[in-house]
Amino acid sequence: MNPIVLSPSQARKIILHAAGLHKQAPFGKGREAVYKLIAHLGFVQIDTNFTVERAHHHTIASRVPDYKPVWLDELQSDGRIFEFFTSDAGYLPMENFRYSLPVKQGFVTRRKALTPAESNLMNKVLDRIGREGPLMVKDFENDRMEASAGWWDWRPSKVALERLYLDGRLMTTRTKEFHKVYDLPLNLVPGDVDRTMPTPEEFARHVILRELKALGITYVKDNVIKNELEKLVIEGEICQVAIEGRKSAPLYMLPAYRNKKIELAGDAYILSPWDPVNFFRHRLRDFFDFDYQIECFVPEPKRKYGYFSLPILVGDSFVARMDSKADRKQKVLIVHNLHFEPKVQLTKPTIAKITDAIKEFAKFNQCRDIVIKKSNNKQVGKAISQAIAASSVPDH
């Protein structure tokens, strides 16, 4: 079967539609919209960086305009979502709980054999949580025998808690301060949730369909996944695509996009570095001609755009990067660097949309004021600063 040929523009529209970035409030409003978003994406990545509002809240707020962070806690308390790993830690819909089981099994089979002392400590930790209820790391004595060697040099009780979390014998919720609280699955997973271990084929199909639902168009490089993917193509569950004028590894999408007409509202979005659209740098380069890297992991002398530079999307183009920090005490959003991409045509409507997006981002970060310190386009940067000064940023 020949692949479906798409224009680059069609491909971008499909990717943005799948990501929920084709129009405002694609999942509706309110707490239920947050659940619909997580169920659609299958995974919303958690990150602890607090330079601006944390990544999971940022990703949701980009798609749910009236978003309140407490809704995420309420959905977890109601047993509708849970925290666990895919490639990283994130929130997943509880209806997909059984597909976390192979990942937990994988953590057990891949880790080094435990010493009797390590196993004994894990059993003691598990027994204590079973008797006392949910506990945090600070609830355990400082059992470190030697001075810490660095950030990831956890004390034994912390290691035991994390091992129990990764192998599925414990689960986690979060405090308002974002600290982990460890609890038994019995207390967090509703009784009617399917807990049967999926077969390797079922798990592979789940991963493929979840990825395509969230990403729209994607490559598949894993050999185990490839075998099941070929079956899905034959069955008509997914289809292979090609992009006009571009050679690449095989690409795939869901058949629902074959004849789907997608219109982009042309809105501006300031996105988290860990937004699903930004997961894979090669996808940004291939489909959007945008070379992006979060530079908080880059040594300061080698940074080009700033410590926490956020992509700004307008329509189907990444038009700028905004390195910003929320000064929560002073309630000021500090934009250290507003860098516009060289190939982008900055029309008055586009500038107005970027201005409104910055104002909304300040409001989301509970900031009243905005200070833009630097821009590579002084004229546009000045126009945005003046437009912001002419209007007040309402309290959150």
Side-chain angles (χ1 to χ4, degrees):
M1 186 180 296
N2 292 328
I4 297 167
V5 179
L6 302 172
S7 69
S9 176
Q10 286 175 311
R12 289 193 294 273
K13 286 180 179 180
I14 290 169
I15 290 169
L16 294 174
H17 183 276
L21 294 172
H22 59 297
K23 64 177 183 178
Q24 290 290 318
F27 303 96
K29 294 185 178 182
R31 193 176 73 162
E32 193 61 24
V34 177
Y35 176 74
K36 289 178 180 177
L37 164 63
I38 295 172
H40 171 80
L41 295 178
F43 173 78
V44 172
Q45 184 168 330
I46 293 171
D47 194 80
T48 57
N49 192 301
F50 202 38
T51 304
V52 292
E53 184 56 85
R54 291 187 174 96
H56 42 288
H57 295 311
H58 188 169
T59 295
I60 297 169
S62 297
R63 297 156 173 84
V64 182
D66 58 346
Y67 174 66
K68 294 177 176 57
V70 68
W71 291 341
L72 204 55
D73 299 327
E74 290 173 355
L75 287 170
Q76 193 166 16
S77 296
D78 291 346
R80 300 183 71 191
I81 63 173
F82 69 104
E83 179 181 336
F84 196 61
F85 269 74
T86 55
S87 56
D88 293 280
Y91 292 106
L92 298 86
M94 189 64 79
E95 64 189 41
N96 290 344
F97 181 80
R98 67 187 293 252
Y99 296 106
S100 71
L101 301 180
V103 182
K104 293 166 183 172
Q105 185 182 62
F107 278 116
V108 174
T109 57
R110 288 195 301 271
R111 72 187 175 199
K112 291 188 290 186
L114 302 176
T115 66
E118 288 171 330
S119 294
N120 186 43
L121 178 58
M122 289 168 68
N123 288 333
K124 286 182 177 179
V125 167
L126 197 61
D127 178 66
R128 187 175 163 195
I129 291 175
R131 287 184 289 105
E132 298 181 25
L135 295 174
M136 299 167 59
V137 174
K138 70 180 180 65
D139 296 316
F140 293 83
E141 293 180 9
N142 188 348
D143 50 4
R144 185 188 301 282
M145 301 302 291
E146 299 175 359
S148 172
W151 183 258
W152 294 106
D153 184 20
W154 291 338
R155 53 194 177 95
S157 54
K158 167 69 172 176
V159 173
L161 286 163
E162 283 298 298
R163 282 175 172 158
L164 290 164
Y165 162 66
L166 292 174
D167 71 22
R169 285 183 283 174
L170 290 178
M171 292 178 67
T172 57
T173 56
R174 300 273 179 168
T175 66
K176 290 182 179 179
E177 295 75 27
F178 203 59
H179 298 140
K180 280 186 175 181
V181 181
Y182 298 84
D183 199 356
L184 300 177
L186 180 68
N187 299 327
L188 297 176
V189 182
D192 59 351
V193 169
D194 189 351
R195 305 183 196 207
T196 58
M197 175 71 75
T199 65
E201 292 76 19
E202 285 177 319
F203 181 67
R205 286 184 172 230
H206 168 74
V207 171
I208 292 166
L209 295 174
R210 182 194 67 201
E211 292 276 304
L212 286 174
K213 192 176 179 183
L215 299 178
I217 298 173
T218 190
Y219 317 90
V220 179
K221 297 180 180 178
D222 188 284
N223 288 330
V224 177
I225 296 291
K226 273 186 179 178
N227 295 334
E228 205 59 37
L229 187 143
E230 290 170 2
K231 294 178 188 176
L232 286 167
V233 172
I234 293 170
E235 294 168 11
E237 292 292 319
I238 64 174
C239 48
Q240 190 171 341
V241 298
I243 311 300
E244 288 176 358
R246 186 174 299 165
K247 291 182 179 180
S248 73
L251 295 165
Y252 301 88
M253 72 176 186
L254 296 175
Y257 282 116
R258 183 183 282 120
N259 298 311
K260 190 175 185 68
K261 292 184 179 180
I262 301 170
E263 294 296 329
L264 300 181
D267 298 308
Y269 298 91
I270 298 171
L271 299 175
S272 165
W274 291 279
D275 193 282
V277 168
N278 301 322
F279 275 170
F280 304 108
R281 289 182 67 187
H282 63 272
R283 273 169 46 92
L284 289 175
R285 287 194 300 265
D286 292 350
F287 294 107
F288 295 91
D289 193 24
F290 183 59
D291 189 7
Y292 174 72
Q293 179 183 18
I294 180 63
E295 295 184 339
C296 56
F297 304 116
V298 176
E300 187 172 357
K302 295 185 178 180
R303 291 176 193 153
K304 295 180 179 179
Y305 307 106
Y307 174 81
F308 209 68
S309 186
L310 309 176
I312 300 181
L313 175 75
V314 180
D316 69 347
S317 298
F318 285 91
V319 301
R321 308 159 199 249
M322 186 177 80
D323 178 36
S324 58
K325 177 180 174 59
D327 183 335
R328 295 171 178 87
K329 287 185 178 180
Q330 301 298 321
K331 293 190 177 297
V332 177
L333 180 71
I334 302 168
V335 179
H336 294 293
N337 185 18
L338 184 58
H339 182 94
F340 295 96
E341 296 301 294
K343 300 177 183 178
V344 173
Q345 189 175 11
L346 294 168
T347 63
K348 285 187 178 180
T350 297
I351 294 169
K353 288 176 181 179
I354 295 170
T355 303
D356 288 342
I358 294 173
K359 289 161 62 178
E360 282 299 312
F361 189 68
K363 179 182 174 183
F364 166 59
N365 280 275
Q366 300 180 51
C367 293
R368 288 191 299 260
D369 301 309
I370 301 166
V371 175
I372 299 176
K373 291 193 168 184
K374 185 177 77 171
S375 176
N376 65 330
N377 189 321
K378 293 183 179 179
Q379 183 178 355
V380 174
K382 183 178 179 181
I384 291 175
S385 293
Q386 289 175 340
I388 290 170
S391 63
S392 60
V393 180
D395 288 334
H396 190 70

